[in-house]
Amino acid sequence: MKMKYTKKIISLILTLVCLVCTITGGPVANANQNSNNDKRACWISFLDMEEYLLDLSEDEFRTKITQMYDNIISYGMNTVIVHTRAMGDAMYPSEYFSLSIYLDSDRSMAYDPMQIMVELAHEKMLYFEAWINPYRLSKNEATTVSYKESPYYDMYKEFTMEYENTSGETCLSLDPSKIETNELICSQVKEIIEKYDVDGIHFDDYFYMPGMADAMDESTKMQYVNAMVKQVYDTVKSVDCNVTFGISPAGNTSSARSQGADIDTWLSTPGYIDYIMPQIYWSDSYMMDGVLTTLYSDRCNEWKSLNLIDIPMYSGLALYRVGEESETDLGWKENHNNLKNQYEVAYYLGYDGYALFRYAWLEYEDSKTELTNLYAFSATLPDGGIYENEVVESDNIDVMETEITTAMESEQIDDESFQEEIRVFGVDVSGLNKFYVLQLAAGDYKFWNLMSFSSYCNLVTSQKTLNFY
C-alpha cells in the first residue's frame, strides 16, 4: 500500500475519479487541475499517545486506536502521520532507542504497538507515515533525566549536545554536525521501513532549536541539516523507492531558515524530499502593526512561489487553535470556517492536501463545527488519493461485474484472500482497463479503490486478507 507521487499516474486517477463522480452524481466543485487533493492527514503526536494510548493492554490498545482511526476517517481524512520517535525513544521495539514512556510508563510492553497501528491503518485504507524528530533527545529537565537513565545515553554521548531551551531547562539533542548523527538517524529510518509497511517517513520543524547553536550562522546550519536530509532521502529510496519522505517545516519561512531548514534548496533541487508541508498556523484575520492582514493566505502564496520543481505541497493547519482567543490572530475566535477557508485558499493555489495538528482536538466539542465545514468543502473536490471511503448507491453506478471466480482464475489469486462480500467491477475508459473495488455494506457499495486490477491483485496478495472495516 505504498503511495506514489508520479504526476502522470495521479492525473489518470483524477480523471477516473471525476468519471465516477459523474456516474454517481457525486459533487465535483470547480476542480483545480493543479491540485491532487490526495492527502488529508491528521498528526498523531506523542502527546496524543500519552493521553489516549498510555499503559493499555493489547486489546485495549487495538480498541482505542481503531476508534481514533474511525474518528479520523469520519472527517474525510485518508492519512495518519504517527509519531514514531519524538525524542530519544521509539514507539516500537527498536535496536537504537528505548521504548517510549509515552506508550508504556515502565517500558515493559509485551506487544508491538507500531505493528498494530500500521496494520489497522491499512485495513481501514489509511496511509501511514512514520513521524520522526531526527535530532531531539529530550524537551525539558524531566525528559533529559529520563533519557540519561537509558543505556543509549552513554552509547551516543560523543555526538550528543546539551543546551538550555528558552525556558532555561536542560535539553539534549543529537549534534547535527556529526557524521555519527546522520548514520544513527538513517539506521533508524531503515529499521522502520524494513520492519513495517509504512507509506512514508515524515520530519517536522525540529532541526536547530533555540539554544542549540545560536552563534552558528544560518548557512552552516543548513549545510549540516542538508547533509542529513539528503542521506535520509537516499536511504529511504534504497530500501523502498515507493516510500515517500516529506518534511513539515515552520510556516514562517524566516524561522524555518533560521533553524537550518534549507527550504529553497529542497524546493528547487530534486533528491531531497518528496513533498513539503509547511505549518501555516495563522488565520486570515491577523493584526500586524495595527493593520488587519491575510497572513495565512500570504504565507501560502510565499511557500508556493518557492516551489520551483512542482513537488507536492500540503498545508499544515492549526486545528489546535480553533476557538482560541488572541489579541493578534483574531480569526480563530471570530468564525467557524477557518480550516475550510484555509484549505480552499491552499487548494486553489495548487496545494495537494492538508494535515491537521493534532488528533486530540478531533475529540473536542469546540472543534466539531470547524471540522464539519472543512469536510463539507473537501468532499466536493475530486479525490486524488488511490483509496476512497465514500458510500455510493449500488444502483447508481453503471459498471460491469467481473465474477470473483474469473478474477481468481485469470490472476491466480488464492480464494482465501477474498471475503464473500467483496466484488470487483471493471470499466473500460478510453481503452484503459481500470477497476473499482467495491464492498457490499447494508445494501450499498463502498467505493474503496481506483487502480489497475493488477495493482489491486498485488495489494490483496500482499495483505493476504481483505478486511476494510
Side-chain angles (χ1 to χ4, degrees), residues 6-72:
T6 306
K7 290 284 186 180
K8 186 174 181 181
I9 294 175
I10 292 297
S11 296
L12 173 61
I13 290 173
L14 274 171
T15 301
L16 292 171
V17 171
C18 289
L19 174 68
V20 171
C21 290
T22 301
I23 293 172
T24 62
V28 180
N30 299 319
N32 182 355
Q33 296 302 311
N34 296 318
S35 299
N36 288 328
N37 188 39
D38 61 2
K39 183 179 296 186
R40 301 173 304 282
C42 182
W43 276 292
I44 300 177
S45 88
F46 73 96
L47 297 172
D48 298 312
M49 294 179 179
E50 183 180 35
E51 183 171 355
Y52 298 109
L53 301 173
L54 178 63
D55 292 335
L56 300 183
S57 68
E58 181 174 352
D59 287 345
E60 291 170 336
F61 185 90
R62 286 181 176 274
T63 298
K64 185 57 189 177
I65 199 67
T66 296
Q67 292 172 352
M68 292 169 69
Y69 286 167
D70 287 343
N71 198 17
I72 288 166

Side-chain angles (χ1 to χ4, degrees), residues 162-328:
E162 187 168 302
Y163 68 98
E164 283 191 1
N165 64 14
T166 53
S167 300
E169 295 183 277
T170 301
C171 298
L172 298 172
S173 170
L174 295 173
D175 186 344
S177 70
K178 302 296 185 182
I179 294 175
E180 294 88 347
T181 289
N182 296 353
E183 291 175 347
L184 175 60
I185 293 167
C186 289
S187 292
Q188 190 192 23
V189 166
K190 183 178 180 181
E191 177 184 59
I192 290 167
I193 299 173
E194 289 182 340
K195 287 187 69 170
Y196 306 104
D197 185 23
V198 300
D199 299 294
I201 298 293
H202 178 91
F203 288 176
D204 62 20
D205 58 325
Y206 277 50
F207 297 110
Y208 275 95
M209 300 309 297
M212 278 178 62
D214 293 346
M216 184 181 291
D217 63 83
E218 200 172 274
S219 62
T220 303
K221 292 179 183 178
M222 290 182 180
Q223 176 185 339
Y224 293 134
V225 172
N226 265 353
M228 182 271 293
V229 168
K230 177 61 176 169
Q231 192 171 338
V232 168
Y233 180 89
D234 291 342
T235 298
V236 169
K237 300 309 175 185
S238 70
V239 180
D240 188 337
C241 63
N242 292 321
V243 172
T244 60
F245 173 47
I247 295 179
S248 180
N252 182 325
T253 55
S254 297
S255 295
R257 294 183 182 104
S258 73
Q259 294 171 3
D262 190 359
I263 54 178
D264 303 278
T265 295
W266 302 345
L267 292 172
S268 64
T269 308
Y272 284 90
I273 56 176
D274 291 310
Y275 71 80
I276 198 156
M277 186 183 284
Q279 300 170 27
I280 310 178
Y281 289 169
W282 301 271
S283 79
D284 263 344
S285 294
Y286 189 92
M287 295 299 296
M288 187 178 294
D289 299 325
V291 178
L292 192 64
T293 67
T294 54
L295 188 56
Y296 174 84
S297 294
D298 295 344
R299 294 209 160 140
C300 264
N301 274 289
E302 182 182 11
W303 279 97
K304 184 64 178 177
S305 70
L306 297 176
N307 190 0
L308 303 183
I309 54 175
D310 195 28
I311 67 169
M313 298 187 73
Y314 307 98
S315 179
L317 302 180
L319 175 61
Y320 73 97
R321 299 199 66 185
V322 166
E324 176 186 308
E325 291 194 29
S326 169
E327 293 182 359
T328 54

Side-chain angles (χ1 to χ4, degrees), residues 129-191:
E129 297 194 17
W131 169 16
I132 297 171
N133 291 110
Y135 296 131
R136 185 172 66 178
L137 297 175
S138 69
K139 67 184 181 74
N140 53 28
E141 296 283 358
T143 51
T144 295
V145 170
S146 176
Y147 180 72
K148 285 185 174 181
E149 291 174 350
S150 79
Y152 298 97
Y153 173 67
D154 287 332
M155 291 174 61
Y156 307 146
K157 190 173 183 179
E158 290 187 2
F159 50 100
T160 294
M161 298 175 61
E162 187 168 302
Y163 68 98
E164 283 191 1
N165 64 14
T166 53
S167 300
E169 295 183 277
T170 301
C171 298
L172 298 172
S173 170
L174 295 173
D175 186 344
S177 70
K178 302 296 185 182
I179 294 175
E180 294 88 347
T181 289
N182 296 353
E183 291 175 347
L184 175 60
I185 293 167
C186 289
S187 292
Q188 190 192 23
V189 166
K190 183 178 180 181
E191 177 184 59

Side-chain angles (χ1 to χ4, degrees), residues 453-468:
F453 191 51
S454 61
S455 297
Y456 170 72
C457 294
N458 289 336
L459 173 67
V460 295
T461 34
S462 65
Q463 291 190 174
K464 304 301 181 189
T465 183
L466 286 176
N467 180 14
F468 291 163

